[in-house]
Amino acid sequence: MLTSSLAGISALDTHRLMGRGIAAFALLLLLQASGSIMSESAYAATWWNAIFLWLFLAVVAAFTAASIRGRGLTATAGALAFLVLAGLALWPLAVPTTVPESFGTPWLWAMINVGAAWCAFSFGPRTGCIYTIVIGTVFTMVRTTPEGGSASLQVALEDALFATVLGLIICVTIGILRRAAARADSAADQAIEQYREAASAMALSNERLRLDGLLHDSVMTALLTASQAGSAEERDASARLAQSALQRLEQQGTAASEAGPATLAEVAARIRFTAGTGTSEPIVNVVCESPDHLLLPGDVVRAVFEATTEAINNAVRHSGATRCEVSLTGHRAAGAAKITVSVKDNGSGFDPGLVSDRRLGIRVSIIGRMEAVGGSASIITPHLAGTEVRLSWEGAEA
């Protein structure tokens, strides 16, 4: 219940959503400026077009692709912010002074605000605000030159002021969104930590209650019997009670609370029984290849069983899979037992990098369980080609 309530938008989600919004904003502005780009590029020098037109468009395409994937946004945004500023500053060197009077404003003027957004996105809102003021100043100077349209100082200042104010608003908005998302992340992390502490405290309390009951039922009985023993028979009986109490205490502190040792084939049978086969979707097919006498420790048995069933449950709940193949393989090597488990479904797949850190299903229920017993888990998710969860463990047999 707690993890579900905390599955809101995190700082990472906000970063990706802002990247997609900025990419859409940039593409819209480029579409509006397409007429100016085609007409003005004929006058610009070849070197300028190569760097600040074609390279710029290529990096914009890379940023758009990165916004869809959710990776590589920061580096491409920083490069684009630099290209906008440098391209505008070098515009007078790339265009001859003999341009027609109708030449108009350099087309990069349309990218000033998205350049500010790229800078704030990559380097933070404070740097973005400084960038906005600098590029506004550069535009004012370029706008008054023949290459920039020979505008009067007043017109140039008005255009630059409008772009600067809007750019500052964008930078501040990006800062506010990131700060709010960071605070939400911090609150979620604190809540998860409190939940873990509460669960640990509850487990400790339950263990103490079991120990208290054991002490009362076995140890105290043995002590009272011994204190009242008068004959040899009574002393023998109290000794047997004491031995029984010691055995129960030893079991309580070791393997009694854990799953018992089992072979890998027995683990496969438990998974097959729990998941069911052939009666509903997804159809779960469980196969096992392992030596008959390869006995796994109890804690490993429980971790493998619970991580595998969690992977199957994820396929049922999230992937839309119609079939799930579970393969368990075990062998002995260099005196140690080695096992691998593969859970592969034919669902839609997903990107683990896009999963919020607040969702504990994979991080705790699968990876965490295996790491707790010295094993490992990995998630393989080809795009739109299903998901495979691989579990592995190596260690001494039970």
Side-chain angles (χ1 to χ4, degrees):
M1 293 294 292
L2 176 65
T3 56
S4 298
S5 66
L6 294 175
I9 295 180
S10 65
L12 183 60
D13 296 327
T14 302
H15 180 78
R16 290 166 176 157
L17 289 173
M18 284 194 300
R20 292 170 187 173
I22 295 172
F25 183 36
L27 292 175
L28 178 61
L29 291 177
L30 283 172
L31 181 62
Q32 289 181 326
S34 58
S36 298
I37 293 174
M38 288 186 290
S39 62
E40 294 177 2
S41 60
Y43 293 92
T46 303
W47 62 268
W48 194 97
N49 282 333
I51 299 174
F52 301 108
L53 176 56
W54 301 116
L55 178 60
F56 174 77
L57 294 177
V59 181
V60 169
F63 180 81
T64 303
S67 70
I68 297 173
R69 296 194 313 268
R71 299 175 182 174
L73 288 166
T74 303
T76 50
L80 286 168
F82 171 78
L83 288 174
V84 172
L85 178 57
L88 191 60
L90 296 175
W91 180 258
L93 301 179
V95 178
T97 57
T98 58
V99 293
E101 293 183 1
S102 60
F103 188 70
T105 307
W107 67 264
L108 270 179
W109 176 75
M111 307 305 296
I112 289 180
N113 294 139
V114 74
W118 278 322
C119 185
F121 182 82
S122 183
F123 304 110
R126 180 175 300 178
T127 305
C129 290
I130 297 173
Y131 174 94
T132 302
I133 296 173
V134 170
I135 199 171
T137 304
V138 170
F139 174 74
T140 301
M141 294 186 292
V142 172
R143 187 73 176 90
T144 57
T145 64
E147 300 87 348
S150 300
S152 65
L153 181 60
Q154 180 180 354
V155 172
L157 286 173
E158 289 175 354
D159 291 344
L161 184 61
F162 172 79
T164 301
V165 171
L166 185 56
L168 291 173
I169 293 173
I170 292 173
C171 293
V172 171
T173 302
I174 289 175
I176 292 173
L177 289 175
R178 280 189 168 167
R179 182 172 298 179
R183 288 177 178 174
D185 266 5
S186 177
D189 290 341
Q190 290 177 4
I192 290 173
E193 186 61 30
Q194 290 173 359
Y195 169 77
R196 289 173 176 169
E197 291 176 357
S200 177
M202 182 176 292
L204 180 61
S205 175
N206 292 337
E207 191 67 20
R208 285 174 175 171
L209 287 174
R210 286 194 294 268
L211 184 59
D212 288 345
L214 175 62
L215 290 172
H216 180 272
D217 296 341
S218 300
V219 178
M220 291 301 296
T221 301
L223 291 175
L224 289 173
T225 302
S227 66
Q228 298 174 1
S231 64
E233 291 80 4
E234 290 176 342
R235 286 192 291 272
D236 290 340
S238 65
R240 288 194 295 272
L241 283 175
Q243 184 177 7
S244 175
L246 289 174
Q247 290 176 349
R248 293 186 64 185
L249 282 172
E250 184 179 359
Q251 292 175 348
Q252 178 74 12
T254 56
S257 61
E258 300 291 338
T263 65
L264 194 59
E266 290 173 333
V267 177
R270 296 179 192 179
I271 295 170
R272 190 179 294 111
F273 176 80
T274 303
T277 56
T279 58
S280 62
E281 289 189 353
I283 298 173
V284 180
N285 182 36
V286 182
V287 296
C288 179
E289 295 183 7
S290 175
D292 293 337
H293 302 293
L294 186 66
L295 197 62
L296 304 178
D299 56 345
V300 176
V301 170
R302 186 172 67 176
V304 170
F305 172 77
E306 292 178 348
T308 302
T309 53
E310 178 66 18
I312 296 172
N313 291 334
N314 283 343
V316 173
R317 292 192 298 262
H318 304 303
S319 73
T322 60
R323 191 168 189 85
C324 189
E325 300 289 340
V326 182
S327 173
L328 299 91
T329 305
H331 63 278
R332 294 183 180 92
K338 291 185 178 182
I339 64 169
T340 58
V341 180
S342 170
V343 182
K344 184 184 296 184
D345 65 63
N346 64 347
S348 58
F350 71 103
D351 185 352
L354 300 180
V355 178
S356 171
D357 291 338
R358 302 174 195 172
R359 293 190 177 274
L360 305 182
I362 294 176
R363 182 159 55 89
V364 172
S365 299
I366 296 178
I367 298 175
R369 275 176 173 145
M370 293 304 299
E371 290 180 347
V373 296
S376 62
S378 59
I379 314 296
I380 302 170
T381 57
H383 183 58
L384 300 179
T387 300
E388 181 180 4
V389 178
R390 292 182 183 176
L391 313 177
S392 62
W393 177 84
E394 178 179 355
E397 295 185 51

